[in-house]
Amino acid sequence: MTHRRQNFMGGAAILALAVAVTKLLGALYKIPLGNLLDREGMAHFYAAYNIYSLLLVLSTAGLPVALSRMVARAAAQRRFGAARRCLRTGLALLGVMGLACSAVMCLLPDTLAAALHDGDAASALRALGPAVLLVCLSAALRGYTQGLGDMVPTAAGQVAESTGKLTVGLALCLYLLHRGAGAPLCAAGAIGGVTAGAGLGLLVTALLLPRRASLPPVRDVPPARRDIARQLLRDGVPITVGAAGMSLITLLDQTLVTGTLQNTLHYSAAETAALYGEYTFGMTLFALPPSFIYPLSVSLMPAVSAALTRGDRTAAGKAAGAAMKLTVLTALPAGVGLSVLAEPILLLLYPAVPDTARAAAYHLTFLGLACVFVCLMVAANGVLQAYGHPLVPVLALLCGGVLKVVTNYLMVGDPATGIRGAAVSTLYCYGLIVLIDLIAIARLVPERPGYIRLFARPVLVTAVMALAARSGYGLFCRVLPERWAVLPAIAVAAAVYGILALAVGAVTRTDVVTLPKGEKIADFLHLR
């Protein structure tokens, strides 16, 4: 049986569908948790989850992408023995890294919790520790199949992971609440579902691998394992640093905000947890739109690498341009919509804790705009990494991190703004990162689409959509309960955006581009 592969847009579509399902399951997981745990419990939950996210990105973001690129090159040259050895070497490296990160979380939970100024998060950290190792092993298998152009094992593993997280996490949380457990233990039970889901995701991915990724008999002499490991680390480490941007900044944000609230504004630990808990309600939705852009970046890397290996810069440029344009078309309405309808959306999702939802609306107003820049950062990083410039995202991340530290110190430490300054500083941070990335792409990627054509029409259409969303909400509030009026307002805004995008030519008819070797991709984005 030969391996099954999809083209760039096909692979991105499969991953995007998987993300849609996993985010729906994630919403069914986190939104009820917010209603059950309220501010204090969610603060403990996110203290553990932010550390987990950073360690997970450091373990899995770079090496699987580098592995997929090496496998894609080997498969394009029909060096299947090299592709198999890349898998075994990558699996060993990721296993060692995952084991080390899991050991840190399981053995040092009190130290990590104290560093985040939330000692009650130690139980949640301990429950989440094994998940890093499980996801690292899954990431190696998924990087291999992605390099072969098959995104189905990744998609199936992600859905299985989210299903396990939802069922086990909510069940444990409800059981502990029923037994009268405190917020720290309930948060640990809820986040234990992440570990269970990681195990299920690994099992599904491993079961699909023999059927989806069989290769012809070995006819080449593969490189030495040491050479493969050296190449994986050389390519993967810069990608890891660039991809760790959002997780690193989120963890840095939490450490700075909670530390400033306690040390500068002299809030107690309980008051700090409550204030940061309000902030996490906005952060939950802030992280949603970027998650739909990651599939583009994942699918982009092997597609561009294979095209450049064949010497087809036109195909590589079209794949990169499609990723950028699709990002703009999806990120702008999603982020701006969250911003202009922040309070109605939060009140709809968290009816059990309306005071917390109203307090979080200010944060989401700025975080919604910031998530537009996060989406652009993800796409731009993917383009730069695919074209062999992985250090540029690292430089941009460092600049954004410095700005984040400075603005957090100035704004959160000011009693007039306090915790509200955290969301504003996040907007500044990601705005600067995207500015640096776009300047770098303009200088280093000649096949990119023009920026004026890329942004002008979507920005105009999004502005009209925002006006329609806010006006529509005001009108529907007159005939519907305030909580439910946001749903038809969102529907009207989406319809306005879609109609105007077609009318002004932001989205055009499907173009079918024939690539070398008879491959075809559905372009559907007017890139010329």
Side-chain angles (χ1 to χ4, degrees), residues 1-5 75 80 148-150 211-216:
M1 181 184 296
T2 58
H3 66 275
R4 309 175 188 185
R5 64 190 303 270
F80 299 118
L148 296 177
D150 189 358
R211 300 182 58 187
R212 303 285 311 186
S214 298
L215 293 175

Side-chain angles (χ1 to χ4, degrees), residues 366-449:
F366 289 94
L367 291 174
L369 298 177
C371 84
V372 176
F373 291 107
V374 175
C375 293
L376 292 172
M377 178 192 74
V378 171
N381 286 356
V383 172
L384 290 166
Q385 291 161 2
Y387 272 86
H389 303 288
L391 293 179
V392 176
V394 176
L395 175 62
L397 171 65
L398 291 175
C399 294
V402 170
L403 182 61
K404 178 68 174 171
V405 171
V406 173
T407 52
N408 255 355
Y409 177 78
L410 294 175
M411 300 183 71
V412 178
D414 186 348
T417 53
I419 186 67
R420 292 190 167 194
V424 180
S425 68
T426 299
L427 175 60
Y428 293 160
C429 168
Y430 286 111
L432 177 61
I433 291 173
V434 170
L435 178 63
I436 295 172
D437 282 345
L438 292 180
I439 292 173
I441 290 176
R443 296 176 61 88
L444 300 173
V445 182
E447 296 86 3
R448 66 163 178 86

Side-chain angles (χ1 to χ4, degrees), residues 188-221:
I191 212 164
V194 177
T195 300
L200 182 60
L202 173 60
L203 177 63
V204 170
T205 305
L207 290 176
L208 285 175
L209 189 68
R211 300 182 58 187
R212 303 285 311 186
S214 298
L215 293 175
V218 177
R219 296 180 180 176
D220 60 297
V221 178

Side-chain angles (χ1 to χ4, degrees), residues 74-403:
Q77 298 168 353
R78 304 191 64 80
R79 296 186 297 112
F80 299 118
R84 289 191 182 94
R85 182 160 289 183
C86 286
L87 168 61
R88 291 191 290 268
T89 305
L91 193 61
L93 278 176
L94 281 162
V96 170
M97 294 182 67
L99 184 62
C101 291
S102 289
V104 169
M105 292 188 68
C106 292
L107 299 177
L108 302 173
D110 296 308
T111 302
L112 294 174
L116 294 178
H117 308 280
D118 188 357
D120 289 333
S123 298
L125 282 162
R126 191 177 291 109
L128 193 54
V132 184
L133 173 60
L134 297 172
V135 176
C136 281
L137 297 176
S138 296
L141 302 182
R142 295 171 189 177
Y144 174 67
T145 58
Q146 288 163 12
L148 296 177
D150 189 358
M151 306 298 167
V152 171
T154 296
Q158 288 174 343
V159 173
E161 189 174 322
S162 295
T163 302
K165 176 174 66 176
L166 168 65
T167 54
V168 176
L170 279 183
L172 284 174
C173 182
L174 288 170
Y175 172 76
L176 291 170
L177 284 172
H178 181 72
R179 296 293 300 270
L185 189 56
C186 290
I191 212 164
V194 177
T195 300
L200 182 60
L202 173 60
L203 177 63
V204 170
T205 305
L207 290 176
L208 285 175
L209 189 68
R211 300 182 58 187
R212 303 285 311 186
S214 298
L215 293 175
V218 177
R219 296 180 180 176
D220 60 297
V221 178
R225 291 182 177 85
R226 181 180 301 176
D227 294 336
I228 293 175
R230 186 181 298 113
Q231 186 65 42
L232 283 172
L233 292 172
R234 184 184 300 120
D235 292 345
V237 170
I239 295 174
T240 296
V241 178
M246 189 172 179
S247 296
L248 182 61
I249 290 173
T250 299
L251 187 61
L252 177 67
D253 188 43
Q254 179 178 3
T255 304
L256 292 173
V257 168
T258 54
T260 302
L261 290 175
Q262 290 187 27
N263 300 327
T264 303
L265 300 184
H266 306 294
Y267 285 104
S268 67
E271 291 171 331
T272 299
L275 288 172
Y276 189 78
E278 293 173 356
Y279 182 53
T280 64
F281 277 68
M283 290 293 293
T284 299
L285 296 176
F286 160 72
L288 183 60
S291 63
F292 288 91
I293 306 303
Y294 284 109
L296 286 175
S297 181
V298 169
S299 189
L300 178 67
M301 183 69 73
V304 172
S305 296
L308 292 177
T309 299
R310 297 192 303 264
D312 191 348
R313 297 189 68 87
T314 300
K318 282 193 172 292
M324 290 295 295
K325 186 161 190 180
L326 189 57
T327 298
V328 172
L329 289 172
T330 55
L332 278 171
V336 173
L338 287 175
S339 180
V340 299
L341 294 175
E343 183 172 326
I345 290 174
L346 288 168
L347 288 172
L348 174 68
L349 297 178
Y350 299 104
V353 286
D355 292 338
T356 302
R358 290 190 178 90
Y362 179 92
H363 304 303
L364 186 56
T365 300
F366 289 94
L367 291 174
L369 298 177
C371 84
V372 176
F373 291 107
V374 175
C375 293
L376 292 172
M377 178 192 74
V378 171
N381 286 356
V383 172
L384 290 166
Q385 291 161 2
Y387 272 86
H389 303 288
L391 293 179
V392 176
V394 176
L395 175 62
L397 171 65
L398 291 175
C399 294
V402 170
L403 182 61

